[in-house]
Amino acid sequence: MTAINPYLIFNGNCEEAFLLYQSLFGGEFPYVGRFSDMPSGDGNPSLSEEDSNKIMHISLPIGAHSVLMGSDSNSASGAVTFGQNMSVSINTVSREEADRFFNGLSANGSITMPMTDTFWGAYFGMCTDKFGVNWMVNYDEVKEE
């Protein structure tokens, strides 16, 4: 099933915000990644120690079908403007569906990150549609054991 979830971007206080959200909504963080977890190279910028400790990705399930996700901005990506610090994240059921959504959403808009296989194991891309809405498209391939 395709799922849509909010993705919030912060200026260095993502962890503090998500600890508050966790205290309100309950639950556990299935993943907390810091920028220091990114492999060096592959076009990844060199980050200061301060940026390296910031949140690259965090998620908090809320209810049976929703996940609140977030990250910090860093010096390479620049500060976020509040009101423009949210994306809609789509988790798809296939690579083909991811490409279809991404191509449709990015048409006459702008591509921030083309669809690509990532170091965290997903097929992922980011774009802004022609209406100014930020989108993240993700497909987590099921690994066969």
Side-chain angles (χ1 to χ4, degrees):
M1 169 192 260
T2 303
I4 295 178
N5 296 292
Y7 200 107
L8 307 174
I9 311 294
F10 296 86
N11 281 322
N13 58 347
C14 179
E15 186 168 17
E16 178 184 358
F18 269 74
L19 289 172
L20 170 67
Y21 304 150
Q22 182 185 42
S23 75
L24 296 170
F25 301 120
E28 298 298 321
F29 301 122
Y31 180 79
V32 178
R34 299 192 183 276
F35 285 104
S36 60
D37 297 330
M38 289 190 320
S40 57
D42 291 334
N44 294 330
S46 256
L47 297 174
S48 68
E49 186 175 335
E50 179 184 358
D51 279 348
S52 292
N53 290 321
K54 290 180 179 178
I55 298 293
M56 177 189 64
H57 178 78
I58 189 169
S59 57
L60 179 64
I62 300 174
H65 303 288
S66 298
V67 179
L68 182 61
M69 296 181 279
S71 70
D72 280 313
S73 182
N74 61 53
S75 56
S77 59
V80 295
T81 302
F82 289 95
Q84 298 174 347
N85 64 320
M86 183 180 157
S87 294
V88 179
S89 176
I90 302 175
N91 293 306
T92 66
V93 297
S94 69
R95 288 176 81 94
E96 295 77 19
E97 185 179 62
D99 285 334
R100 184 171 61 85
F101 289 154
F102 187 83
N103 292 336
L105 290 166
S106 63
N108 299 313
S110 62
I111 295 173
T112 309
M113 178 182 175
M115 292 300 297
T116 189
D117 292 311
T118 64
F119 70 87
W120 64 87
Y123 183 57
F124 177 82
M126 298 186 299
C127 65
T128 303
D129 70 21
K130 66 182 180 180
F131 305 105
V133 177
N134 297 317
W135 294 90
M136 298 176 164
V137 179
N138 187 79
Y139 170 63
D140 290 316
E141 195 161 354
V142 177
K143 305 288 185 206
E144 304 219 4
E145 297 185 32

